[in-house]
Amino acid sequence: MTQDTPKILWTPGQDLIKNSNLTSYIAWLQEAKSLHFSNYDELWKWSVDEVDAFWESIYEYFEVIDHGKYNQVTSGGHMPGVRWFEGSEINYAEHIFRHAADGPAIIFQREGEDPVEVSWDELKQKTAAFAEYLLAQGVEKGDRVVGYIPNIPEATIAFLATCSIGAVWSSCSPDFGASSVVDRFLQIAPKVFVTVDGYQYGGKMFDRTAVVEEVINQLPSVKAVVEIPYLTSDKKLATSDLWEACVSNDSSKLTFTPVPFSHPIWVLYSSGTTGQPKAITHSQGGVLLEHLKYVSFHNDVRAGERYFWYTTTGWMMWNFVQATLLCGATIVLYDGSPGFPDIKSLWKMAADLRVNHFGTSAPFIVACMKAKVDPASEFDLEALRSISSTGSPLPPEGFSWVYDHVKKDVWLCSMSGGTDVCSAFVGGCPVVPLYEGEIQRRALGCAMYAFDEKGTPQINSVGEMVVTKPMPSMPIYFWNDTDQERYKESYFEMFPHVWRHGDWLEITDRNTLIIKGRSDATLNRHGIRIGTAEIYQSMSKVEAIQDSLVVNLELDGGHHYMPLFVVMKAGYSLSESVKKQIAQQLKADYTSRHVPDEVIEVTEIPLTISGKKMEAPVKKILMGHSAASSANLGAMKNPHSLQVFENFYTEKLKAH
């Protein structure tokens, strides 16, 4: 055993183990495949040793509707060239609507208002009508439909309609600035643009009509605009079609266009350290199998249960929420601030709506803990079975707070994955105990390990999070990345044919996991991934700034610290006025989350010989490593520039 083994906070009861979806699957494997597993770890090992057999079992167990016939499960050799189920013809949306589920399909609560229910029949009818509208606009299989839209039922309907006809969906939250939206949507040349006139947050209304017009003017591919009057009932865009007119045809019949397994379903975005946000494209079949597996076995979601996750349409968790419809569950959508009118509002909603599965971010749990919120004493959370947390590592104190102040027998599923696979690599397991501060298990089919710099797997020691075997929900490509240069650069540069995810990971000898934060330069800002390139793009608009570098540190206790280091242009100083300009520019272009905690003036930005900014070495230095161990000084243009960061760590961060 490892030293200082943490305490067990939760152990599954026999009823949960017996009735879990995972136990049903294990029994099916024994009956249908003559495979016997005495515990989860044996099952996991088989799932990563026998990749084809495992994923074919998922295909069969969930009775995937295939309008074609595949020849073999995988082909194409090593990652990233693996192809899946070639010959199959499927549709993700068809698997959602095969349920004749009781209860509502969607429960929607807007900030400060009463909840609204959408029945399965209404969801189906409006999806059919909007699909008919899209076809009338000339949208064909493979065309893109995009949404600048909050987490509202219309977003779900628009996605399902898009998916049903074999088109490709993509969305951004309406708090994104114009340049951020254009950076994303321009890459994929959408044909139809679905938008709201604004959004509500923290009791305030934000009109986005001018932003929408600016975005549309920069998207020449858009042939039709659909407007959802969300702030008022008035139409604001002169050339738009109103949403209600687009979904009003009660005689529309929902049909499904079968597409190849590897046909794109949606485009998500994850910014790197340079250039445009990467347009990460997933396949219909890949996410179908991954979502069926994860939602059923690792979240144990069942038909008729109510599943909530606080998210926006700009985060992959929105896409993940839709996946619970595959199980016949009811999705609970919330639009607004999690802290309005106070930080207890989401717990109250969970009680009022009898939510069974509650999803949130680690920073939200930490914020509730700091605010000394005690949901257990204020709300009836009897229906609550699980709480899921992701976005950044949940500190041990957050685990304890859940059991002390929310519910003593709730199943806490800390999980970690990402936009890259639109799922979690590691997370909940309903048949094993939960240790304080640790994630329960690696997900089935995920051959994840912690590698040292030589590529040797580590136990009880921190290493690079890697995946050594292919998963079907890995991206099929990045949009417009014709030679896969950016794709390979993102995941496969460090270890040949091995996916390097960019997190620090420790796997214990109990097969539990601890995520230690990002190992690359992507900013994990309070659970939201931000590309440094976005920060730099805004800084280029601030007259006084010559150059800049930004990092984000995940500190103990769930804290974050994101400093922005700037080089001033000659004749300028870092005044309060300039700091205010920086904040205003970042908010205008992107979101308030992009605003740094502190702005610090330096004389030089560390650069490689080829002129690339060295964010990852700076982050390591600010975590206490020496410059010599953090960077290859011989490959630097200005190695002396690292001294100021060593001094900054010693003088400001070391004591904390």
Side-chain angles (χ1 to χ4, degrees):
M1 298 289 275
T2 59
Q3 291 183 343
D4 300 323
T5 300
K7 64 182 178 182
I8 294 175
L9 295 177
W10 176 87
T11 302
Q14 288 304 307
D15 284 347
L16 173 58
I17 295 174
K18 178 182 178 181
N19 296 317
S20 70
N21 294 323
L22 182 62
T23 297
S24 297
Y25 170 63
I26 292 172
W28 179 86
L29 285 173
Q30 181 169 333
E31 182 178 347
K33 304 291 184 180
S34 298
L35 294 169
H36 306 270
F37 303 103
S38 59
N39 56 50
Y40 178 84
D41 295 325
E42 287 184 7
L43 175 63
W44 175 83
K45 189 174 188 308
W46 170 77
S47 76
V48 298
D49 287 346
E50 303 294 338
V51 171
D52 285 20
F54 169 69
W55 288 106
E56 187 169 48
S57 79
I58 298 297
Y59 206 92
E60 295 174 4
Y61 179 77
F62 288 104
E63 299 178 347
V64 169
I65 303 169
D66 191 347
H67 299 276
K69 186 176 182 181
Y70 65 89
N71 298 315
Q72 58 192 85
V73 176
T74 61
S75 57
H78 297 293
M79 291 189 288
V82 177
R83 298 185 296 273
W84 294 87
F85 292 95
E86 289 188 293
S88 64
E89 296 276 334
I90 57 96
N91 189 287
Y92 185 99
E94 184 173 13
H95 291 80
I96 284 177
F97 285 105
R98 67 177 170 177
H99 297 288
D102 295 329
I106 301 172
I107 303 175
F108 169 58
Q109 183 155 353
R110 185 174 176 177
E111 180 186 270
E113 297 186 5
D114 292 333
V116 176
E117 294 189 357
V118 178
S119 69
W120 279 92
D121 286 343
E122 182 182 354
L123 178 63
K124 183 175 183 179
Q125 190 58 53
K126 288 189 173 180
T127 298
F130 195 64
E132 188 177 77
Y133 168 83
L134 293 176
L135 293 171
Q137 304 310 306
V139 176
E140 300 176 350
K141 184 167 64 174
D143 285 341
R144 276 73 64 203
V145 177
V146 299
Y148 186 57
I149 190 169
N151 183 26
I152 58 179
E154 289 87 344
T156 297
I157 293 165
F159 156 63
L160 291 174
T162 300
C163 183
S164 73
I165 63 174
V168 184
W169 173 256
S170 192
S171 59
C172 285
S173 173
D175 63 345
F176 279 39
S179 60
S180 184
V181 179
V182 173
D183 283 348
R184 288 156 171 77
F185 289 165
L186 187 61
Q187 296 185 63
I188 65 173
K191 186 172 283 188
V192 174
F193 188 97
V194 184
T195 184
V196 288
D197 55 353
Y199 67 97
Q200 179 178 328
Y201 191 88
K204 299 178 181 178
M205 302 292 183
F206 297 87
D207 190 298
R208 304 299 274 174
T209 309
V211 175
V212 170
E213 291 175 337
E214 182 180 348
V215 170
I216 293 171
N217 287 337
Q218 296 183 65
L219 298 177
S221 61
V222 171
K223 306 301 181 187
V225 177
V226 178
E227 180 182 355
I228 304 167
Y230 194 52
L231 298 185
T232 69
S233 58
D234 300 325
K235 179 176 176 178
K236 295 182 179 179
L237 301 170
T239 59
S240 66
D241 296 321
L242 283 174
W243 171 264
E244 284 304 322
C246 298
V247 296
S248 61
N249 189 349
D250 292 337
S251 62
S252 301
K253 300 298 181 185
L254 184 58
T255 60
F256 304 99
T257 301
V259 295
F261 188 93
S262 60
H263 185 80
I265 183 172
W266 51 51
V267 179
L268 307 178
Y269 305 92
S270 179
S271 297
T273 58
T274 59
Q276 288 182 313
K278 289 171 282 198
I280 299 174
T281 310
H282 293 119
S283 68
Q284 286 234 14
V287 294
L288 173 65
L289 292 192
E290 174 60 33
H291 287 170
L292 285 168
K293 177 211 75 177
Y294 198 93
V295 171
S296 297
F297 300 154
H298 297 285
N299 277 160
D300 198 44
V301 178
R302 305 172 191 178
E305 289 192 323
R306 298 183 172 189
Y307 190 95
F308 165 76
W309 203 294
Y310 180 77
T311 182
T312 72
T313 59
W315 188 22
M316 53 78 47
M317 288 311 305
W318 178 86
N319 305 72
F320 189 84
V321 166
Q322 314 308 310
T324 58
L325 293 169
L326 292 167
C327 300
T330 296
I331 57 175
V332 177
L333 309 178
Y334 178 84
D335 180 43
S337 167
F340 182 83
D342 57 51
I343 201 168
K344 297 182 286 188
S345 61
L346 293 184
W347 299 113
K348 181 180 185 303
M349 183 197 71
D352 292 345
L353 300 183
R354 310 289 292 169
V355 168
N356 304 110
H357 304 275
F358 182 99
T360 185
S361 66
F364 175 77
I365 290 177
V366 171
C368 289
M369 178 179 69
K370 290 180 178 178
K372 302 188 184 305
V373 176
D374 189 46
S377 66
E378 293 193 55
F379 307 113
D380 178 6
L381 297 171
E382 181 184 355
L384 190 62
R385 287 184 53 212
S386 78
I387 295 175
S388 291
S389 170
T390 193
S392 61
L394 180 65
E397 299 87 351
F399 281 73
S400 296
W401 178 84
V402 166
Y403 286 95
D404 291 341
H405 297 281
V406 181
K407 195 176 184 185
K408 293 190 179 301
D409 62 348
V410 75
W411 172 29
L412 177 57
C413 305
S414 181
M415 54 195 280
S416 181
T419 303
D420 316 84
V421 290
C422 200
S423 184
F425 295 118
V426 298
C429 181
V431 298
V432 301
L434 173 73
Y435 290 84
E436 182 181 44
E438 298 181 353
I439 298 173
Q440 285 179 290
R441 286 297 189 273
R442 289 168 279 194
L444 295 176
C446 181
M448 172 169 285
Y449 301 93
F451 272 12
D452 66 13
E453 64 278 2
K454 297 178 181 178
T456 305
Q458 304 294 298
I459 296 294
N460 299 329
S461 181
V462 177
E464 287 279 355
M465 177 192 289
V466 300
V467 180
T468 62
K469 300 284 183 72
M471 297 170 61
S473 66
M474 288 173 172
I476 45 177
Y477 46 72
F478 294 168
W479 206 272
N480 293 331
D481 184 28
T482 51
D483 57 1
Q484 287 201 318
E485 181 179 352
R486 295 190 78 194
Y487 189 107
K488 294 175 182 176
E489 182 182 88
S490 297
Y491 309 118
F492 297 100
E493 273 199 337
M494 183 172 286
F495 305 107
H497 308 303
V498 170
W499 173 294
R500 174 206 175 230
H501 191 60
D503 279 333
W504 297 119
L505 170 70
E506 179 181 347
I507 301 176
T508 74
D509 52 13
R510 289 172 280 105
N511 284 319
T512 58
L513 307 104
I514 306 165
I515 307 294
K516 301 289 189 174
R518 298 297 296 172
S519 65
D520 65 8
T522 302
L523 308 175
N524 194 336
R525 177 71 161 161
H526 298 295
I528 304 299
R529 285 166 62 97
I530 298 171
T532 55
E534 295 181 333
I535 305 290
Y536 303 145
Q537 186 170 331
S538 278
M539 290 306 92
S540 69
K541 301 175 184 178
V542 180
E543 176 62 25
I545 303 300
Q546 178 177 312
D547 204 357
S548 59
L549 183 144
V550 65
V551 295
N552 185 65
L553 307 180
E554 294 98 4
L555 307 177
D556 292 341
H559 301 287
H560 291 253
Y561 175 63
M562 190 171 90
L564 175 67
F565 299 93
V566 297
V567 177
M568 306 303 296
K569 285 184 180 178
Y572 288 90
S573 62
L574 184 58
S575 63
E576 289 302 316
S577 175
V578 171
K579 292 179 181 179
K580 187 175 181 180
Q581 288 178 46
I582 290 171
Q584 289 174 338
Q585 191 66 58
L586 287 166
K587 287 180 181 178
D589 287 346
Y590 300 104
T591 73
S592 59
R593 301 183 190 96
H594 289 67
V595 178
D597 293 308
E598 189 173 2
V599 183
I600 301 105
E601 183 176 355
V602 294
T603 55
E604 288 184 80
I605 297 300
L607 301 173
T608 64
I609 290 174
S610 61
K612 292 183 178 179
K613 299 181 186 185
M614 301 180 65
E615 295 114 330
V618 168
K619 179 173 180 177
K620 289 185 72 174
I621 291 170
L622 298 185
M623 293 171 66
H625 300 272
S626 69
S629 65
S630 300
N632 181 352
L633 302 182
M636 288 187 65
K637 181 180 291 186
N638 53 349
H640 57 273
S641 65
L642 295 177
Q643 183 63 53
V644 68
F645 298 96
E646 287 190 305
N647 295 343
F648 185 79
Y649 168 74
T650 301
E651 295 167 7
K652 176 154 186 173
L653 299 180
K654 187 175 183 179
H656 301 284

